[in-house]
Each structure stands twice: as C-alpha cells, then as structure tokens.
Amino acid sequence: MELDLGGWFALLIQWLKANLGAFFDGVTTVIGTTTSALEDVLLFLPGWAMVLVFTALAWWVATRGVALFTFFGMGLLTDLQFTLFGTEFVIGMGYWDITMQTLSLIVTASLFSLLVGIPVGIWAAKSDAVDKTVRPILDFMQTMPPFVYLIPAVVLFGLGTVPGVIATFIFATPPCVRLTNLGIRQVSEEAIEAAQSFGSTPTQMLVKVEFPMALPTILAGVNQTVLLALSMVVIAALIGSSGLGQPVVEGLTQLRIAKGFEGGLGIVILAIFLDRVTQAAGEKAGASTAQTR
Amino acid sequence: MAVIEAEHLWKIFGGDPDRARTLARDEGLSKAKVKEETGSVIAVNNASFDVKAQEIFVVMGLSGSGKSTLLRCVNRLIEPTFGSVQVDGEEVTTYDEDELRQLRRTKMSMVFQNFGLFPHRSVLGNVEYGLEVSGMDESKRQEKARRTLDLVGLEGYEDSNPGELSGGMQQRVGLARALVDDPEILLMDEAFSALDPLIREEMQNELLDLQDQWDPACTILFITHDLDEALKMGDRIAIMKDGWIAQIGTPTEILMNPADDYVESFVQNVDRTKVIPVRTVMREPRGDEADHLSETDASVSPHTSIAEVLPMVLQADGPVAVRDSGEVLQGVVSREDVMEEVTRNASNVSKTREATRQAKAMEAA
C-alpha cells in the first residue's frame, strides 16, 4: 500500500472548489475584468499609434537605441499594410492583437505579483519569523514545475486567461518578495539610526527612508517578475489564455515551423522591450540614490 | 546643572543579564570571564556620569570600549539593560514610544561617524528631515534648513546630492541636519573620525567656534577614540575601558592625575603643550592689564594650544588677550602662566609615574 499524497491533494482541491466556490468566482471576476479592461486600453489606439507610444516611452525611460529597437521590433508585430504607387507594402506580421493580449496578461499578473510581493517582502524584512516562514513557500512556488499547478488552476478557475494569470502570478511573485526583502534589509544601519534619532515614526521610516533607499533593488525585483511572467506565456496558452503563446502552441501541436517561429519572435521582442524599460527605470532610481560612502 | 545624568548604566547583550551584572559588579569578574560564564557580552558596565549644561563632555575609549553603545543609551537607539538616564531631570528609560519620539524631535539630535545621510534626498532634503517628520510645513522648514546650511558654510549646495560632496562637506550636512531644530543636546558619535586630519581639525575648530557663538550653547556629548581630539574638544573627559568609565575629569586632571595604569598608559606620551588649550591656563585680567590690552591687536582663540601661543607670548611685552570668534575678551595669558605649563609638562610624566609607584609601595607596606 502506498501513500496517496497526490490523492489527498486532489481531495483538497475538490473541497476548495465545493466550499469556496464563491471566493474563486470573485477572484476570477477581478482578474478577468482587469485583464480585459487593460486589453481594451491597449487596443484602443491603432497598432501603429501604439508603436509610437511605446517608442516614446522607451526613449524617455531608456536610451535611443532601445527606442529604435522598439520602433522596428513592435512595428514587425503590427498588422499595418498599405498601398503606395500601386505597390502593396506589408509592414507587420499581423500579431498585434495577440501581442497586446499577452501584454495585458503579463501586466495584470505582474501587478498582482507586486501588490502581494512588495508588502510581503517588506514584512519579511521586518520580521525574521516571517522571513523564515515565507522562504520555503517561495522556494516551492519557484521550483514546482508550472504544469503541476496549472491543473488545479484550471479546476478552480476554469479555462482561459484567468488561470493563466494565476499560474503566472505564482511563478513570478517570488523574486519580487525576495528582492524587496533584500533591499529593505540592505538599507544602511546608520541611515536607519539617523532616521530614528530624529524621531521618525515607523511609517515615516518606511516611507521616507527605507523604501526609497531600497527602491533600486525593489525595481530589480520588478524587472525579474515581469520577465518571469513573460516566460509563462506559452504555458498559459496551453490552458487557453489568448496571446503570443497560441501560435507557439499551435506550431508545436501541428508541427508548423513558421507559425511557432513568429510567435516565439514576438515574445522575444516583447521581452527585450520590457526588460530594457524596467531595467532603465531601476537604474534611474539607482542614480538618484547613489550611495554616499 | 546637569542636563544629562546617567546612573549605574548597564548594557548587556544576550545570555543572562542579571547574572552577568552580579558577576561583574559583585564578584569583579572581567568582561571575558563573564562572557565565558554566562554567554553575555557586557558593553556598558555600571557607567555613571553627568553632563552639565553647555559643556562639551567627551567620552574617549578604544574601539570595543562601549563608548558608542553608551551614547546610544542616552537617546535609546540602544535600550539600556539596567540603570537610569535622566535628561533635564526626567527619566528617559521609562519613556513610551511617543515620549521618546518627542524627546528626539525637540531636545536631542545626533551626528554619525559615517554621516548617515539619506542618499535619495538632496542636501536640503537631508537637513530638513527632522523638521519634516515632526510635521513643520514645507516653506518654513526649508527656510530654516537653508539658514542652517549657511551656518555650516554650505550655502549654494542645497540641491546637490550628498554623494557628490567630499567627506568634510558631507559631515557638515550631517551637522546641519542635527542643528536645524536648535537642539539642546547634541550627540556626536565619532563625528570627525572618518575625516582627513586637516579637515578634521577644521571641523573641530568650527564646532568650538559655533559652540562659543550660540546662545544658549548646545550641550555636547562627544564620542571619540582619539585622545588629542578629546583633550582639544572636552571641557571634561570620561575615559572608557571594557565598558566601564576609568576616569572622569578635565583634560588637565586626566593628564596630571591619571586614575590608573590604563589611563596613564594613554596619556604618558602626550605633549601637554600641544593639546592643552589656552582656555585652561588663561585668567582674568588684573589691574590695568585690561586697558593695556585694548591697545594691542594681538589676540588668540581660547582653543589654541599652548605650544602655538608660546612664540606670541614670548614676543609680547605683557599678557596676551584671549578672544573668542566673536572678538569678545575671555581672559588673558601671560608669559609666566605659559612657561609654568611648559615646564610642568617636561617633568610631569616622570613625576606622575614616580608618585604612583610610591603610592603603591606604601599601600603594599
């Protein structure tokens, strides 16, 4: 007779579904609404206009090089085509809608990751007990193969974008918690003592000293979270989340090399854009926090 | 009147503090022995001292002597394990969080060894911090911060990032941040130790000048590991060793009558004339000396060392005026006073040692 650990877990999930159904429905509504609202915003302007918006953002936050990359890379994903002097020009591969769907999934998942991850990170930095409790949970979240928690996610949240967001959230939250924890713990002892010696309340200490001084490290965590979220796109597509993962999954299941390559390329372009922009934002914050000795 | 009064102050880390105290106090066990027995580290061992209004009280000791811990017990950045600390007659150790914050906001501020500046705030933002957390409105606190920056010679640097400034300038920011709310008490934790020697001297002199100009002057509790600095800055000095205070006295007392071998080993190689400031040998002008002084322009600061004054006194016809940075006459020094001090220095060291030896021999007999 073997130990039926998996069976117990399955029972637990069934129990959760039966007894906390309303809660999971609520979560589904919140996440579903956020994602589709974001999608609507991103698809409000035509593709070419959004490319310009992203390019401007890249220029403002990062460098001209990143802006240039954004312009051509994102341009490649649009569905822009026009006829000039009797010749038809095709600018993009026609992936714009699913690119924006992917972006809204990533942004939603990252947003929830940060909303949970940063406060938990701060709490873990303040309390060694919390740190010790949270650490193995984070290890679990990061090392458990995503396919494994995809199954209960589908059972609890159904098919589609919402379980994709949930799975992405689980996978992408740990670095945010870890780096927030690290950043707050690394704030120099003397700066903390100084803030205390001038009569700061704990809230003032956190808001005026600890958080701003930890910000570069926290933003490195945000960067990691966003990139990990992006790496989940294909897996999320397996359970029906729409986005750039779909052509990849289709490519794989139907052995269509072309389609798989195009979807993959789209993910890479989006990844480079998000990485450079979030990284540059972190460096900007870091420059204004240049360490004094 | 004593502004700060510490009595039987102990800070014991870890282990069994009660037992550690008993062993150290009643059975006279050393710090190392106590650690072996109880696992407790005694950082401050039964320290009692009082700091008088407007004096500079220096606590001097080598690293690990517990001086910084002692300082932090006063504003409770570190909680004392046993004993009492009174500020203006009020017991501070029993303050709750609110009272403690109020004390730190209004009465005391602190300057740190490595400046402890906030790198994400401008120079002005650093200086106004204390006023900001106590809720002063922005225009008012910025004006006050600007004025304080002028005072420490940093006008024009308001918008700089502290990281762009030199060490000396950074510590001026630290000083301005501490002075912005006109604190009654200034706690300085090795404030000048991280600076280059020349800058350090400049800052020492400026602090002494500021202290002279202020009315009412700050009471300063100053921590250092540097004996020269202690002798230069201190109205009184406490010498710490292994957490306990070996001796408290004026610079002259410490140099003339070291309480034990430890203090003596510290001071035996000191050239008194280079560290004893003129203020300790100056006297009130006698008879018509004061009238005579107004004719001569030569004057010295009360903080100049005797060695520096020597050539001037030898050249002058009569006594030399001692004036503070506001050109107010503090007293006079004559050739005789200075020469007496110089000769005493020459014989002092060997004499003290001889006296101690004799005293010990008598005790033994």
Side-chain angles (χ1 to χ4, degrees):
Chain A
M1 182 81 179
E2 287 130 354
L3 195 62
D4 192 20
L5 209 57
W8 295 340
F9 180 70
L11 279 178
L12 174 71
I13 296 296
Q14 295 299 344
W15 184 87
L16 285 176
K17 188 169 171 56
N19 293 285
L20 293 170
F23 168 75
F24 290 109
D25 288 349
V27 173
T28 308
T29 315
V30 171
I31 292 174
T33 317
T34 314
T35 319
S36 60
L38 201 59
E39 210 178 296
D40 290 344
V41 171
L42 291 170
L43 289 172
F44 179 72
L45 289 176
W48 60 268
M50 282 310 284
V51 170
L52 293 183
V53 171
F54 288 131
T55 305
L57 179 74
W59 200 328
W60 178 54
V61 179
T63 58
R64 202 171 45 177
V66 177
L68 218 60
F69 170 84
T70 308
F71 182 75
F72 288 111
M74 293 272 194
L76 205 60
L77 298 171
T78 54
D79 38 19
L80 192 63
Q81 36 191 294
F82 53 91
T83 316
L84 201 62
F85 307 121
T87 321
E88 195 168 331
F89 287 89
V90 178
I91 301 291
M93 302 186 293
Y95 282 140
W96 190 252
D97 285 5
I98 57 173
T99 304
M100 289 305 103
Q101 281 166 355
T102 291
L103 191 59
S104 64
L105 186 146
I106 293 167
V107 171
T108 308
S110 303
L111 207 68
F112 285 110
S113 287
L114 303 186
L115 278 177
V116 173
I118 291 176
V120 171
I122 291 172
W123 196 21
K126 296 277 169 192
S127 151
D128 284 338
V130 173
D131 186 32
K132 281 201 187 102
T133 318
V134 162
R135 206 170 279 258
I137 300 176
L138 296 181
D139 291 338
F140 195 84
M141 286 162 76
Q142 255 182 325
T143 49
M144 179 64 90
F147 289 102
V148 176
Y149 48 77
L150 226 45
I151 312 163
V154 170
V155 171
L156 294 174
F157 299 99
L159 286 169
T161 301
V162 174
V165 171
I166 299 280
T168 307
F169 165 84
I170 293 173
F171 190 62
T173 304
C176 178
V177 178
R178 285 188 211 276
L179 283 161
T180 303
N181 183 358
L182 179 73
I184 300 272
R185 280 173 189 266
Q186 270 178 345
V187 172
S188 84
E189 183 62 29
E190 243 189 8
I192 303 230
E193 281 196 326
Q196 281 176 339
S197 74
F198 291 105
S200 312
T201 62
T203 315
Q204 285 171 332
M205 170 84 86
L206 181 65
V207 174
K208 290 176 191 290
V209 178
E210 290 176 307
F211 193 80
M213 282 181 78
L215 194 59
T217 312
I218 294 175
L219 286 177
V222 173
N223 171 277
Q224 288 299 300
T225 293
V226 170
L227 289 189
L228 283 187
L230 199 60
S231 72
M232 282 290 285
V233 165
V234 174
I235 293 173
L238 283 175
I239 48 170
S241 304
S242 44
L244 283 168
Q246 278 179 331
V248 177
V249 171
E250 269 171 45
L252 184 67
T253 49
Q254 301 164 16
L255 282 184
R256 289 167 62 184
I257 298 174
K259 194 137 202 190
F261 176 75
E262 285 178 354
L265 190 65
I267 293 174
V268 170
I269 290 169
L270 202 56
I272 294 178
F273 167 75
L274 288 171
D275 175 59
R276 298 301 186 273
V277 169
T278 50
Q279 207 170 35
E283 275 162 21
K284 259 192 178 172
S288 65
T289 327
Q291 286 298 312
T292 49
R293 315 179 34 112
Chain B
M1 197 201 94
V3 174
I4 306 172
E5 248 183 304
E7 261 175 66
H8 304 300
L9 206 58
W10 293 78
K11 178 66 202 182
I12 300 167
F13 292 102
D16 179 354
D18 280 305
R19 215 175 128 230
R21 176 170 68 162
T22 313
L23 288 177
R25 185 183 55 189
D26 305 335
E27 296 178 28
L29 257 60
S30 73
K31 195 174 161 176
K33 265 272 188 298
V34 171
K35 174 147 199 281
E36 211 173 281
E37 287 275 319
T38 63
S40 302
V41 176
I42 299 181
V44 176
N45 181 334
N46 210 0
S48 300
F49 62 93
D50 57 326
V51 184
K52 296 182 192 121
Q54 308 189 358
E55 78 172 333
I56 301 185
F57 187 89
V58 177
V59 178
M60 202 221 74
L62 300 180
S63 58
S65 62
K67 55 193 190 301
S68 289
T69 310
L70 182 71
L71 181 78
R72 282 163 172 73
C73 285
V74 172
N75 68 350
R76 279 180 54 195
L77 280 181
I78 291 178
E79 294 291 342
T81 315
F82 305 108
S84 108
V85 177
Q86 293 192 352
V87 174
D88 288 334
E90 272 197 55
E91 184 62 46
V92 172
T93 47
T94 53
Y95 271 0
D96 64 21
E97 289 285 313
D98 270 340
E99 290 170 315
L100 186 59
R101 258 198 295 280
Q102 225 42 46
L103 173 83
R104 289 170 177 174
R105 283 177 180 177
T106 54
K107 270 194 186 162
M108 283 185 183
S109 50
M110 187 161 171
V111 183
F112 294 84
Q113 178 169 15
N114 295 309
F115 323 134
L117 299 180
F118 305 129
H120 58 290
R121 289 175 155 246
S122 67
V123 167
L124 191 70
N126 268 279
V127 176
E128 67 178 330
Y129 185 84
L131 304 175
E132 187 180 321
V133 293
S134 45
M136 188 182 281
D137 59 67
E138 192 172 340
S139 59
K140 215 165 142 192
R141 68 178 191 241
Q142 291 200 342
E143 191 205 315
K144 239 179 152 178
R146 269 174 222 283
R147 242 185 296 142
T148 316
L149 277 170
D150 289 353
L151 187 74
V152 299
L154 280 180
E155 57 269 57
Y157 288 96
E158 289 84 355
D159 299 324
S160 305
N161 188 310
E164 299 161 10
L165 306 181
S166 68
M169 285 160 93
Q170 289 192 25
Q171 194 54 301
R172 280 164 200 267
V173 178
L175 193 58
R177 181 176 66 177
L179 294 177
V180 72
D181 205 14
D182 310 312
E184 189 183 323
I185 299 164
L186 198 56
L187 307 176
M188 304 188 73
D189 182 23
E190 301 247 16
F192 303 147
S193 301
L195 305 176
D196 299 335
L198 280 177
I199 309 284
R200 187 187 311 162
E201 209 182 321
E202 196 181 306
M203 295 285 286
Q204 290 167 349
N205 292 335
E206 272 180 50
L207 183 68
L208 289 167
D209 286 345
L210 280 173
Q211 170 85 348
D212 288 343
Q213 284 166 28
W214 281 321
D215 190 34
C218 265
T219 304
I220 301 180
L221 183 52
F222 192 104
I223 305 292
T224 183
H225 64 263
D226 177 0
L227 184 65
D228 288 350
E229 187 169 64
L231 294 168
K232 176 172 179 176
M233 305 295 292
D235 293 315
R236 288 188 305 142
I237 300 171
I239 297 201
M240 270 187 102
K241 186 205 176 191
D242 286 347
W244 48 269
I245 295 180
Q247 185 174 9
I248 298 181
T250 62
T252 321
E253 284 165 6
I254 300 260
L255 288 176
M256 292 295 294
N257 306 307
D260 59 14
D261 289 351
Y262 181 73
V263 180
E264 192 187 327
S265 69
F266 252 117
V267 299
Q268 62 184 352
N269 295 320
V270 171
D271 180 354
R272 294 167 44 88
T273 58
K274 282 197 179 135
V275 290
I276 297 273
V278 163
R279 61 172 186 266
T280 57
V281 296
M282 72 185 181
R283 56 173 170 78
E284 295 285 311
R286 277 195 290 261
D288 61 346
E289 278 177 350
D291 308 327
H292 183 67
L293 283 175
S294 53
E295 294 158 26
T296 69
D297 274 330
S299 68
V300 294
S301 147
H303 311 307
T304 356
S305 71
I306 287 170
E308 280 174 275
V309 170
L310 188 59
M312 210 165 147
V313 176
L314 290 176
Q315 274 173 18
D317 295 331
V320 170
V322 180
R323 293 196 169 94
D324 66 11
S325 55
E327 293 297 317
V328 180
L329 186 69
Q330 300 287 308
V332 295
V333 273
S334 65
R335 189 182 301 175
E336 292 74 43
D337 303 329
V338 171
M339 285 312 291
E340 192 186 328
E341 200 59 39
V342 173
T343 22
R344 193 153 51 170
N345 178 56
S347 55
N348 166 39
V349 175
S350 47
K351 249 198 282 180
T352 342
R353 234 178 284 167
E354 188 55 34
T356 330
R357 220 167 286 137
Q358 275 174 5
K360 276 193 185 141
M362 279 169 75
E363 248 172 56

